[in-house]
Amino acid sequence: QAALPQALFLNNSKDSRWLTLEVCREFQRNRCTRTEEECKFAHPPPHVDQQNGRVMCCFDSIKGKCQRKEPPCKYLHPPQHLKEQLLQNGRQNLAINRTNTDQARMFYTNRYHWNQVLAQSQLATQMPTTGLLPGMGLPGVPGMTA
């Protein structure tokens, strides 16, 4: 009897993509006329790592609990308007992940159930039926002679 995939019930994978922000292209060129609080893109300080024009935001900072000072936090501490955007993205990401997990669980549960039904029906059809032509009989069964 096969078990359902454990990954469906132990979904501990962390998807941190929702914690990334696009870096302001004008800021990268030292040409952005907006302040960090006005721009809809990130203005990271030099110690924050950028990859492919994006930065990872500090989850502790978003919760208001980052204590990293020396050395400074390697993640972006976004201004309030970007924190709100990130939190909204995080809630949407969580809802999507829950929906996907629920759908996968339902799919595998149904698949498991139908595999069990199929296995039982195949067992029923594999009963020894060969050699049972009229008049051949079943050896050892009263009233049925070979």
Side-chain angles (χ1 to χ4, degrees):
Q1 188 173 17
L4 291 175
Q6 288 292 327
L8 294 176
F9 302 103
L10 303 172
N11 188 5
N12 292 326
S13 63
K14 302 287 184 195
D15 182 3
S16 58
R17 288 178 293 186
W18 67 272
L19 278 171
T20 64
L21 288 173
E22 186 175 347
V23 177
C24 175
R25 291 180 185 158
E26 294 300 313
F27 176 79
Q28 290 174 323
R29 297 180 187 111
N30 292 318
R31 291 192 205 149
C32 188
T33 58
R34 297 176 181 87
T35 66
E36 183 179 18
E37 286 75 26
E38 296 172 329
C39 191
K40 66 179 183 175
F41 301 105
H43 285 201
H47 67 274
V48 173
D49 186 36
Q50 298 181 37
Q51 292 184 2
N52 299 322
R54 300 187 74 78
V55 290
M56 180 69 69
C57 295
C58 176
F59 186 67
D60 291 336
S61 169
I62 292 171
K63 296 186 297 183
K65 297 181 180 182
C66 184
Q67 302 296 317
R68 298 174 196 93
K69 300 286 184 217
E70 290 299 325
C73 185
K74 66 179 184 177
Y75 301 109
L76 178 70
H77 287 205
Q80 187 59 39
H81 72 288
L82 294 179
K83 283 182 186 180
E84 291 167 6
Q85 175 186 327
L86 287 167
L87 288 171
Q88 183 179 7
N89 292 348
R91 285 189 291 271
Q92 289 173 348
N93 186 56
L94 184 61
I96 289 168
N97 284 345
R98 282 184 182 155
T99 300
N100 289 345
T101 300
D102 290 345
Q103 288 175 347
R105 186 175 291 134
M106 186 181 304
F107 169 79
Y108 280 107
T109 301
N110 287 341
R111 184 171 146 187
Y112 174 78
H113 169 75
W114 285 111
N115 281 343
Q116 294 299 311
V117 170
L118 180 62
Q120 291 172 1
S121 68
Q122 285 176 345
L123 281 176
T125 60
Q126 290 175 359
M127 291 299 213
T129 57
T130 57
L132 294 182
L133 295 174
M136 293 184 69
L138 290 173
V141 177
M144 301 286 240
T145 57

